[in-house]
Structure formats: C-alpha cells, structure tokens
Amino acid sequence: MPISSQSPSFVKPTASFRRFDLIAFDWDGTLFDSTRVIVQAIQGAVADLGHPPPTDDQASHVIGLGLTQALAHAAPSVPKDQWPKLAERYRFHYAQHLNDINLFPGTEIMLVELKSRGYKIAVATGKSRHGLDEALESIGMTELFHATRTADETRGKPDPLMLHELMDELDTPPERTLMVGDTTHDLQLAINAGCPALAVSFGAHPSSGLAKLKPLAVLHTTAELHHWLMQNG
C-alpha cells in the first residue's frame, strides 16, 4: 500500500527532550478500521448458535479482549462447552470481510514517520497471533513494527503482562512507554502496567468512558493523533 500523501509538517522532538521511546498501539479500532466488521462477526456467530445476538454496544464493548473472553462477555447465554464453536463461527464471519478492512486513513504515514524519527513502535492487541499476522500481511506491514504481542501468546487485556513483555523486549521502562488505544481495556492495561496512555475515540468505546480513565488526551481523528505524537511524544 503506497504512501501517497504529504506528511504533515511538525517540529521534531529531539532525542534529549523526547518524552517516550516506545509507543505501543492497540490494533483493532486504533490503527485498523475493523470495529464494524468485528461487531457484525460477533453478532453473526451468536445467531448461528441459535442465541439472541448482542446489541451493537454490547458487541463493541468487548473489542480489545481476547477472543474467548470477549465472546463469553458478549454472549452470556452461550454455554461454555459451545465456546469453541462460537469462536469458529466468529472467525468464519470475520474472514468474509478481511479484505474489506484497511488502516484508518493517515495511519501508515504516521507509523512510518514515528519509526523514522527513532521511536520504537509495537502492537499490543487482543487478536490472536494468526489474526494479527494475517492482517499485517494483508496490508503489507509485516516488517514495520519492532515487536508485537497478541492475547493468545501472553495474557489478555487488561492484565499488564503483554505490555511488560514488550517493554522488556525493547528495553524501555514504563515511564518512557506510551499505550495508545480505543477502549477502556487498553487504558486499564496501561494503568496496570504503570504506563501513560493516549485514547482515540474513533474505535469501539465512546469518548466519555475513555475520559474517565484519565488518559493524557482523547483524540478524535488519526490526524489529531499524529499531530499529538509529533508535538508531545
């Protein structure tokens, strides 16, 4: 996917005055415009098993959690012995639209600029390893991030382990690490890991709920996020 537009003109933070060294991004709803597809896949999976599907709000609330945890919360009427089938049906519905999903406009430009300026960039996601790798391959970004963690290879959000592992791997202390996400699960992950956080309101959770967890800012577009990081990162 080519980078075709001009990068905004920002003042570059110098290394000595830079606030953060590592910026860890959530994936779905933060970088990847997948919230609507995930909601519909959850609803379709629950309906396939003959249970009342969750509302849009109920389905979007669990985005960011590991898949089993998310489906259990979104569909409490589905018995535990049917969770594997529920997950299978979710993957089926999601796969039907994988090629319809892309990064939010301006995201690739932002990530490439952050990396070019010396920031370590990472992904901390509730997706599975297979799901994240598939998404990265579909948009040609398998080599962009310095490190990634998924919910099935560590502990899911808001347990801090995935951020702790990223900080250990990239040799960055909590105070020099920034977590960026679109859900309260992301922000609680940062709190539990002792890291500052930044919220975006264009994903799964409304800005009112995000603001209650006191992130450094709640930003409403990728352009605002890019500008904030260039000016304050």
Side-chain angles (χ1 to χ4, degrees), residues 15-187:
S16 58
F17 291 102
R18 182 178 294 163
R19 183 174 181 182
F20 304 109
D21 298 313
L22 168 60
I23 304 176
F25 293 91
D26 170 60
W27 184 254
D28 290 305
T30 301
L31 302 178
F32 208 46
D33 190 6
S34 49
T35 300
R36 186 70 231 155
V37 169
I38 293 173
V39 166
Q40 292 175 340
I42 292 172
Q43 292 169 332
V46 177
D48 286 352
L49 269 63
H51 292 262
T55 65
D56 288 359
D57 286 345
Q58 289 168 335
S60 63
H61 180 73
V62 303
I63 294 175
L65 301 175
L67 180 57
T68 300
Q69 184 184 6
L71 293 174
H73 277 82
S77 64
V78 177
K80 189 173 183 178
D81 63 358
Q82 292 188 32
W83 287 358
K85 181 64 174 179
L86 185 63
E88 177 189 319
R89 296 310 300 167
Y90 167 82
R91 294 188 186 99
F92 169 81
H93 286 286
Y94 184 84
Q96 305 311 300
H97 298 282
L98 179 61
N99 292 332
D100 302 332
I101 314 171
N102 215 320
L103 297 169
F104 287 105
T107 296
E108 187 172 4
I109 292 171
M110 174 185 71
L111 294 173
V112 169
E113 183 166 8
L114 287 170
K115 190 172 183 178
S116 72
R117 294 188 176 196
Y119 292 97
K120 303 168 190 174
I121 56 174
V123 172
T125 178
K127 295 185 86 66
S128 68
R129 170 51 59 189
H130 173 77
L132 179 62
D133 288 349
E134 185 177 52
L136 289 170
E137 185 174 357
S138 74
I139 56 175
M141 292 177 63
T142 56
E143 303 298 323
L144 181 61
F145 295 97
H146 292 91
T148 61
R149 283 297 184 282
T150 61
D152 62 337
E153 62 190 8
T154 181
R155 294 178 192 152
K157 301 170 185 178
D159 190 289
L161 184 59
M162 68 169 62
L163 260 186
H164 285 161
E165 289 179 352
L166 287 169
M167 289 187 287
D168 287 346
E169 179 177 345
L170 298 174
D171 193 24
T172 309
E175 67 272 14
R176 302 286 297 179
T177 300
L178 178 66
M179 177 68 204
V180 183
D182 68 304
T183 72
T184 55
H185 314 306
D186 300 317
L187 302 187

